[in-house]
C-alpha cells in the first residue's frame, strides 16, 4: 500500500496557482491601483444623453471607480452607486471628495443588492458585465425600482462585441406595465402593455484597439 507523503497532503489544501479568479477577485485586483483604470472622465453616451434623465435621484449600477456617478453628482443629481469591489467603491468616494461632491457608494453584488421599488428617477448601467440569468433578473428589478416616468440609461456590448460594436439606449419604462424583458448578449429588449417604451438608441462601431469610454 502506497503511503501519502506529507508534501502530497499539503498539495490537497494548497490553492492552485492557475485557478481562475472569481469576478469579484478579478475586478478587485484590477481596481487595486492608484491609477483609475478607466480614467476619471464620464462615459460618452452618458454625457450625450444626460438630459434624458428626469428628476434628481439616480442609481449607477456596477459603477467601478466612480467616473460616471461623480460626474453626475457634479451636476447636482443625488447619486447612489453600487459596485462589486471595495477598491472601486473606495476610489469612487476619493474621487467624489476631490471634486467636492457626495456619492452614496455601496459595495455589493448587483445580483443581490436591493434596488427598492419606485424610488429612482433614473438608473444608469454602463458596461455592467454579468451572466445572462443575472442580467435578466436585474432588468426586471430595475423596472420595479424606477419611479413613474423613470428612465434606464444603458450602454453595453452587443453579441458582435468582438468587432467592437456597442448598443447605447435609453428606456423610459414607466408608467407602462412591463410584460416581458429579455437579453440577447448584452442587448436589452422589452415588451410592455399599452404601447412601447420610449427608446433612444444607436449602435456605434469602435475601431480595433480603441478604448471605449
Amino acid at each position: 500500500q502506497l503511503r501519502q507523503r506529507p508534501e502530497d497532503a499539503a498539495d490537497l489544501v494548497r490553492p492552485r496557482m492557475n485557478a481562475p479568479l472569481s469576478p469579484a477577485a478579478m475586478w478587485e485586483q484590477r481596481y487595486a491601483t492608484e491609477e483609475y483604470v478607466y480614467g476619471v472622465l464620464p462615459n460618452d453616451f452618458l454625457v450625450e444623453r444626460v438630459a434624458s434623465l428626469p428628476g434628481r435621484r439616480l442609481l449607477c449600477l456596477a459603477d467601478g471607480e466612480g467616473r460616471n456617478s461623480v460626474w453626475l453628482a457634479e451636476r447636482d443629481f443625488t447619486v447612489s452607486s453600487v459596485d462589486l469591489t471595495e477598491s472601486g467603491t473606495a476610489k469612487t468616494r476619493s474621487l467624489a471628495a476631490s471634486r467636492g461632491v457626495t456619492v452614496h457608494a455601496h459595495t455589493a453584488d448587483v445580483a443581490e443588492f436591493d434596488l427598492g421599488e419606485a424610488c429612482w428617477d433614473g438608473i444608469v448601467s454602463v458596461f455592467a458585465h454579468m451572466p445572462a440569468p443575472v442580467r435578466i433578473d436585474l432588468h426586471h428589478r430595475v423596472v420595479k425600482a424606477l419611479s413613474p416616468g423613470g428612465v434606464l440609461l444603458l450602454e453595453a456590448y452587443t453579441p458582435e462585441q468582438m468587432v467592437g460594436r456597442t448598443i447605447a439606449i435609453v428606456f423610459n419604462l414607466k408608467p407602462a406595465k412591463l410584460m416581458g424583458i429579455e437579453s440577447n448578449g448584452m442587448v436589452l429588449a422589452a415588451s410592455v402593455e399599452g404601447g412601447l417604451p420610449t427608446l433612444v438608441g444607436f449602435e456605434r462601431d469602435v475601431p480595433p484597439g480603441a478604448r471605449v469610454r
Side-chain angles (χ1 to χ4, degrees):
Q1 183 178 3
L2 294 176
R3 290 187 178 182
Q4 188 177 53
R5 294 175 300 172
E7 56 268 30
D8 294 335
D11 285 341
L12 296 178
V13 296
R14 184 182 297 121
R16 293 185 178 181
M17 298 304 292
N18 60 351
L21 293 174
S22 68
M26 184 273 288
W27 287 109
E28 198 74 64
Q29 186 179 83
R30 180 170 294 186
Y31 293 150
T33 65
E34 291 187 8
E35 175 193 8
Y36 278 73
V37 178
Y38 295 101
V40 295
L41 297 177
N43 169 261
D44 291 339
F45 181 63
L46 174 61
V47 173
E48 293 167 8
R49 299 294 180 178
V50 66
S52 302
L53 296 171
R56 310 311 301 169
R57 301 168 300 167
L58 302 181
L59 174 64
C60 294
L61 301 174
D63 192 50
E65 301 161 300
R67 64 190 181 109
N68 295 320
S69 58
V70 171
W71 183 82
L72 289 165
E74 289 181 292
R75 276 138 192 85
D76 295 327
F77 288 99
T78 300
V79 186
S80 294
S81 70
V82 57
D83 192 74
L84 189 60
T85 66
E86 294 282 357
S87 52
T89 302
K91 289 167 89 171
T92 296
R93 293 184 181 125
S94 177
L95 182 61
S98 73
R99 302 279 181 85
V101 297
T102 299
V103 172
H104 304 285
H106 305 273
T107 304
D109 188 336
V110 293
E112 302 171 355
F113 185 71
D114 183 5
L115 305 183
E117 292 193 16
C119 55
W120 305 106
D121 299 315
I123 293 178
V124 175
S125 177
V126 175
F127 297 117
H129 310 299
M130 64 195 74
V134 175
R135 187 168 62 250
I136 292 168
D137 176 71
L138 175 64
H139 290 163
H140 277 288
R141 292 188 291 118
V142 161
V143 175
K144 292 179 181 178
L146 288 169
S147 297
V151 162
L152 166 64
L153 186 150
L154 178 147
E155 181 167 14
Y157 285 108
T158 70
E160 291 79 26
Q161 68 185 71
M162 295 306 292
V163 296
R165 177 160 294 169
T166 73
I167 185 76
I169 58 180
V170 176
F171 273 112
N172 184 336
L173 292 170
K174 290 290 190 79
K177 180 182 178 183
L178 185 78
M179 298 299 292
I181 191 165
E182 296 181 357
S183 297
N184 177 12
M186 289 296 291
V187 182
L188 181 71
S191 61
V192 297
E193 183 179 45
L196 293 174
T198 301
L199 169 63
V200 178
F202 64 90
E203 287 191 341
R204 57 174 174 160
D205 291 328
V206 182
R211 195 170 189 176
V212 180
R213 290 203 302 114

